[in-house]
Each structure stands twice: as C-alpha cells, then as structure tokens.
C-alpha cells in the first residue's frame, strides 16, 4: 500500500466524518430553535452565529485538505473566512428595527457561501466521495440562502422558525451526504485494501 493511498483514505474519512458532525450540529441547532418559540434577538444571533463560525472553520480546514487547484483553494479559503466573519457579526446586537433584518441577511449569505463551496468542491473533484449527494446538499443550501434573502421577516419569531426549519432540513441532508461519502470510501478501501488506520 502506498503512502499516497493511505493519505487519500485518511482525507476521505475526515471529509465524511466532518460532514456528518456538521450535519448533526445543524440539526441540533435547528431543533433547539424550533423548540424555542420566542427567542430574543441576542439569543437567536448567538445560535445562528455558532453555526456560521463552526461551518466557516470547517470550510477553511477543507480548503487546505481537498486536492483542488490553487484557485479553488483560495476561493474556498475566502468562503470559509467570510462565513466566520458573518458568524461573528451575527453575535452582535444591532439596533431594534434593523436587528432581525441584518441577522437574516448574515445567515442567508452564510448559507449561500457554504452552498457554493460544497457544490464547487464536489463538481471540481471527479473522485469526490458521495459526489451526487454533496452537489444536492450544495444546491439546497444555496436555495435556502436566497429564500431567506427574499423573505420579508417582520419578527424574530418568524426568522427563528424559518431558519430552524432550514437548519434541520440541511442538517439531515448533510448527514445523509456524509453517510453516502462513507459508503463510497468503504467500497474504495475494500477494493484497494487501503485501511486509514494502517501504518507504513
């Protein structure tokens, strides 16, 4: 077994593990938000901010891990940094009247950035495990972002319900995508005899 095969196997395992954990985080946050009918702007901003920051950090890590071109790496890195920045902005308590609108914009843009990254990565890497599911997840996330930008939110309760529902749906989709990646990786490892935990 070559070192390259082992490294590729470890990389693919880290990608599907990250996808599943990220999906579970999104589902958890979505359920918490849906179960909390009247969160304050500050509380909602904290919950949304956590998701954007964590997903942004994951994007930055994957930007340096995926075997893509320098241009794609740079774009992915910028996308991750932008997501983290939007998450930090979401923690701020904006003036009443604009708080809900600005928070909705931050979350929507964060969704769009994440969706573009996932879709671009899956399309640009032919051997990407669970490629179909990853592209589907990316498109759904982009759609969620644009729907939120177009939706006229008039209260934090409405925003919380919409974002909570989207996070739950996106989280479930990402978990399914991660399981699809895991299945593909297992098949490849079985055919090649590569085991990620093996030592040279």
């Amino acid at each position: 077994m070559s070192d390259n095969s082992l490294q590729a196997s470890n990389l693919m395992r880290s990608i599907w593990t990250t996808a599943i954990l990220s999906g579970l985080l999104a589902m958890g946050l979505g359920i918490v938000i849906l179960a909390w009918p009247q969160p304050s702007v500050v509380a909602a901003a904290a919950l949304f901010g956590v998701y954007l920051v964590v997903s942004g950090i994951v994007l930055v890590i994957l930007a340096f891990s995926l075997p893509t071109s320098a241009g794609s790496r740079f774009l992915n890195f910028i996308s991750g940094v932008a997501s983290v920045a939007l998450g930090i902005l979401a923690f701020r308590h904006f003036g009443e009247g604009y708080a809900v609108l600005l928070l909705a914009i931050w979350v929507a843009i964060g969704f769009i950035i994440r969706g573009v990254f996932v879709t671009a990565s899956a399309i640009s890497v032919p051997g990407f495990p669970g490629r179909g599911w990853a592209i589907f997840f990316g498109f759904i996330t982009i759609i969620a972002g644009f729907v939120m930008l177009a939706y006229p939110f008039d209260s934090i309760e409405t925003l919380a319900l919409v974002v909570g529902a989207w996070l739950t749906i996106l989280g479930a989709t990402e978990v399914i995508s991660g399981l699809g990646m895991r299945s593909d990786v297992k098949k490849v490892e079985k055919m090649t005899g590569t085991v990620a935990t093996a030592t040279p």
Side-chain angles (χ1 to χ4, degrees):
M1 181 207 318
S2 67
D3 289 341
N4 288 338
S5 297
L6 182 58
Q7 290 174 0
S9 179
N10 285 329
L11 173 60
M12 292 302 104
R13 280 176 176 264
S14 67
I15 290 175
W16 67 253
T17 301
T18 300
I20 292 176
L21 292 177
S22 179
L24 291 174
L25 170 65
M27 286 180 64
L29 285 176
I31 292 171
V32 168
I33 293 170
L34 288 174
W36 190 359
Q38 294 182 330
S40 67
V41 172
V42 176
L47 290 173
F48 302 157
V50 166
Y51 175 74
L52 292 175
V53 170
V54 172
S55 61
I57 292 173
V58 170
L59 293 182
V60 171
I61 294 173
L62 292 181
F64 291 103
S65 301
L66 292 177
T68 57
S69 64
S72 295
R73 287 176 184 270
F74 177 74
L75 177 61
N76 296 338
F77 174 76
I78 294 299
S79 297
V81 171
S83 183
V84 172
L86 290 170
I88 293 173
L89 287 173
F91 281 108
R92 297 186 55 186
H93 184 198
F94 302 100
E96 293 298 333
Y98 292 102
V100 177
L101 176 61
L102 289 176
L103 185 54
I105 291 173
W106 298 153
V107 176
I109 293 176
F111 278 172
I112 293 172
I113 289 173
R114 181 119 195 263
V116 169
F117 165 80
V118 173
T119 304
S121 296
I123 291 175
S124 65
V125 182
F128 196 91
R131 193 173 184 229
W133 275 109
I135 293 174
F136 176 73
F137 169 74
F139 276 123
I140 292 295
T141 308
I142 293 171
I143 291 172
F146 280 112
V147 167
M148 288 190 61
L149 283 178
Y151 200 99
F153 295 102
D154 56 357
S155 70
I156 190 62
E157 290 86 355
T158 304
L159 175 61
L161 288 174
V162 173
V163 176
W166 272 118
L167 282 175
T168 304
I169 293 170
L170 293 175
T173 304
E174 190 167 20
V175 169
I176 293 173
S177 174
L179 292 174
M181 294 178 191
R182 180 179 183 273
S183 177
D184 287 351
V185 171
K186 291 288 186 182
K187 289 177 183 176
V188 172
E189 288 179 351
K190 188 174 182 179
M191 289 188 299
T192 61
T194 302
V195 179
T197 56
T199 56

